[in-house]
Amino acid sequence: MAAIVLYPTTGMGHLISMVELGKLILTHHPSFTVNILLPTAPYATGSTAQYISAVSTTNPSIIFHHLPPVSLPLDPASYSCVEALTFDLVRLNNPNVHTAIQSISQTSTVHALILDFFCNAALDVATELDVPAYFFLTSGASFLALFCHFPTIDRSTNKNFKDLETTVNLPYLPPIPLSHMPEPMLEKDTTEYAGFIDCSVGLSKSTGIIVNTFSTLEPKAVKALADGVCNPDGPTPPVFCIGPLIVTNRQIGNEGDDKVLGSECLTWLDKQPSQSIVFLCFGSLGLLSKEQLREIAIGLEKSGQRFLWVVRNPPSEDKKQRFLTQPDPDLNSLFSDGFLDRTKERGLVIKRWAPQVAVLNHEAVGGFVTHCGWNSVLESVCAGIPMVAWPLYAEQKFNKALLVEELKLALPMNESETGFVSATEVEKRVRELMESEEGNSLRERVTAKRNEAMKAMEEGGSSRVALAKLVEQWK
């Protein structure tokens, strides 16, 4: 029996991406079985049991393997950041991954091990077992091109990136200040910085890199990767652009009121005029301060626009709370000035979660204020919805530059030097997105990209061809 092994890091977001990749493979190449290795998280990631059960029931060729827990050298709360903890967790899980693949090999032929970007340490296991290793990058091809160049950038200066105004100018990428790199890459003498260097080097050692994008969305970066010019230190493995891969029917874990929330907001949208709603959502990790939330509220109210806004609790000041599941926000406490009552005829604020794909594809929605997470970007493109780019973490500042300066699919949300966005800026950008000629131009461009995305996934389309070439390597 032919088998593929997928290895995500902990957390629902990474798991869902890997499951969707497995589904895509099985849809077009059902002769495989897909085995997904699940590391045990040393902190709360939200329950995945119901989601895994639902996937197993509807996709019997997807088999989950729970890895035993490992002992970390530090208490989870003592790590400087989630990335540093993740690199340790993956490294310590190598013996468990080795055992799991050996066990799968007793009844199947393992044709490939597909690693989450953060699972670079497992390359050693693939080498030991003589299994071809691939990386699955949930960011775009442009960030991959930048990341392949990372070791070269590292050698160009002894200073920390956060202290530099230097701009990276590469012909296949939008200009990006070094200080806008992901936060774990800003200071050199850290565990997480070293981990990212290792990941960049590891990419070049893999058999191939699978990217959730389509070739005509990022043509400059895709060509540069194919030409091998992004990594001056050595060859770039084949890159397979198989996207857009988005979750169209997400099963939720044990979050009992999510379906109620989803039904509530979609029913509310049914009553709104076509393309009248601006949707604001900042991802599962996009937490904003109480002061920032109130500033958004002022800006939305002054804009006069109809809106649907997903609000999460502000981040806890207690570092030990960062890995714990946050309670629902108390909206009346957050917006005690009467904002909710004054805007109830044209706005809806919901707690924590919304069915984002369904919302973006609703006829009433005309714009999206987003944190620029790549999954959200692709979901917006596939729905034909223009964006306001408000990055918060990870590679999102780079994604903002790509969306605003090169692809011209978004307006920028400008912030102060401290990262604060004023109510005036929120008002300005929301109005511009929904009412201006520039907003209309964005809408035309993103509609064209939506049509290109649909073609890429059709029979004979670029992404289907790339998937076929990938699977051919396994056979």
Side-chain angles (χ1 to χ4, degrees), residues 2-175:
I4 305 297
V5 178
L6 309 184
Y7 183 23
T9 55
T10 56
M12 183 66 93
H14 292 267
L15 173 60
I16 288 175
S17 294
M18 280 291 193
V19 167
E20 291 301 315
L21 176 61
K23 288 180 183 177
L24 178 70
I25 293 168
L26 291 172
T27 297
H28 301 293
H29 303 277
S31 60
F32 289 102
T33 58
V34 170
N35 296 266
I36 301 180
L37 309 183
L38 299 175
T40 301
Y43 50 85
T45 60
S47 175
T48 58
Q50 185 174 332
Y51 172 76
I52 290 169
S53 175
V55 171
S56 299
T57 300
T58 55
N59 300 272
S61 292
I62 296 179
I63 304 167
F64 294 92
H65 304 261
H66 294 268
L67 303 181
V70 297
S71 297
L72 293 169
L74 300 174
D75 179 87
S78 299
Y79 280 87
S80 57
C81 61
V82 175
E83 290 83 1
L85 186 157
T86 300
F87 287 133
D88 263 2
L89 182 65
V90 170
R91 176 178 54 81
L92 293 169
N93 258 305
N94 269 4
N96 293 331
V97 173
H98 191 286
T99 300
I101 295 176
Q102 278 189 318
S103 176
I104 295 167
S105 298
Q106 291 179 4
T107 55
S108 304
T109 301
V110 177
H111 288 265
L113 170 62
I114 301 177
L115 304 172
D116 183 284
F117 170 80
F118 287 98
C119 294
N120 173 70
L123 278 174
D124 292 342
V125 178
T127 300
E128 292 166 6
L129 296 176
D130 195 26
V131 175
Y134 296 77
F135 280 99
F136 176 44
L137 197 75
T138 54
S139 300
S142 298
F143 185 72
L144 171 61
L146 175 66
F147 197 71
C148 286
H149 204 74
F150 179 39
T152 304
I153 300 171
D154 170 65
R155 291 194 299 269
S156 70
T157 178
N158 292 322
K159 295 182 179 180
N160 291 325
F161 294 171
K162 69 182 181 67
D163 300 324
L164 296 172
E165 294 299 322
T166 308
T167 297
V168 179
N169 288 295
L170 296 170
Y172 44 86
L173 297 176

Side-chain angles (χ1 to χ4, degrees), residues 391-410:
L392 299 177
Y393 56 91
E395 88 287 12
Q396 293 164 11
K397 287 184 177 179
F398 175 82
N399 290 343
K400 173 186 176 182
L402 179 71
L403 289 168
V404 172
E405 297 171 25
E406 183 168 320
L407 302 182
K408 301 189 186 308
L409 303 178

Side-chain angles (χ1 to χ4, degrees), residues 93-324:
N93 258 305
N94 269 4
N96 293 331
V97 173
H98 191 286
T99 300
I101 295 176
Q102 278 189 318
S103 176
I104 295 167
S105 298
Q106 291 179 4
T107 55
S108 304
T109 301
V110 177
H111 288 265
L113 170 62
I114 301 177
L115 304 172
D116 183 284
F117 170 80
F118 287 98
C119 294
N120 173 70
L123 278 174
D124 292 342
V125 178
T127 300
E128 292 166 6
L129 296 176
D130 195 26
V131 175
Y134 296 77
F135 280 99
F136 176 44
L137 197 75
T138 54
S139 300
S142 298
F143 185 72
L144 171 61
L146 175 66
F147 197 71
C148 286
H149 204 74
F150 179 39
T152 304
I153 300 171
D154 170 65
R155 291 194 299 269
S156 70
T157 178
N158 292 322
K159 295 182 179 180
N160 291 325
F161 294 171
K162 69 182 181 67
D163 300 324
L164 296 172
E165 294 299 322
T166 308
T167 297
V168 179
N169 288 295
L170 296 170
Y172 44 86
L173 297 176
I176 180 79
L178 281 175
S179 59
H180 285 187
M181 296 287 268
E183 188 172 347
M185 298 164 68
L186 295 180
E187 294 191 53
K188 289 200 169 195
D189 294 326
T190 63
T191 301
E192 55 272 23
Y193 186 94
F196 275 98
I197 288 286
D198 288 344
C199 282
S200 180
V201 173
L203 289 172
S204 64
K205 297 178 180 178
S206 67
T207 307
I209 306 170
I210 306 164
V211 188
N212 188 13
T213 191
F214 54 101
S215 58
T216 59
L217 180 63
E218 307 172 84
K220 289 182 183 179
V222 170
K223 184 177 187 304
L225 290 163
D227 292 345
V229 300
C230 304
N231 178 14
D233 296 336
T236 301
V239 175
F240 303 92
C241 298
I242 52 83
L245 186 59
I246 61 175
V247 181
T248 55
N249 183 27
R250 174 180 171 183
Q251 298 103 329
I252 304 302
N254 294 329
E255 301 177 10
D257 58 347
D258 280 350
K259 289 183 179 179
V260 175
L261 288 172
S263 175
E264 175 193 0
C265 73
L266 293 175
T267 300
W268 181 81
L269 285 172
D270 288 340
K271 301 173 184 177
Q272 308 307 314
S274 174
Q275 295 190 336
S276 67
I277 301 296
V278 59
F279 176 48
L280 299 90
C281 188
F282 300 94
S284 59
L285 300 178
L287 306 182
L288 300 169
S289 69
K290 182 181 291 188
E291 293 75 21
Q292 184 64 84
L293 291 172
R294 290 177 174 175
E295 203 76 5
I296 294 172
I298 295 169
L300 285 176
E301 186 171 1
K302 288 185 174 180
S303 76
Q305 301 298 314
R306 297 173 183 268
F307 63 88
L308 172 62
W309 181 14
V310 181
V311 171
R312 290 177 173 268
N313 254 330
S316 172
E317 295 181 4
D318 182 358
K319 189 178 177 182
K320 294 182 179 180
Q321 300 292 315
R322 62 182 169 163
F323 293 123
L324 301 180

Side-chain angles (χ1 to χ4, degrees), residues 345-393:
E345 297 302 321
R346 61 179 175 84
L348 177 65
V349 180
I350 59 175
K351 303 174 183 179
R352 185 170 44 81
W353 180 84
Q356 183 163 290
V357 172
V359 168
L360 288 170
N361 282 278
H362 197 285
E363 172 65 23
V365 174
F368 184 25
V369 179
T370 174
H371 64 312
C372 302
W374 191 248
N375 285 335
S376 292
V377 168
L378 290 179
E379 289 166 5
S380 197
V381 168
C382 288
I385 300 296
M387 292 162 270
V388 172
W390 186 342
L392 299 177
Y393 56 91

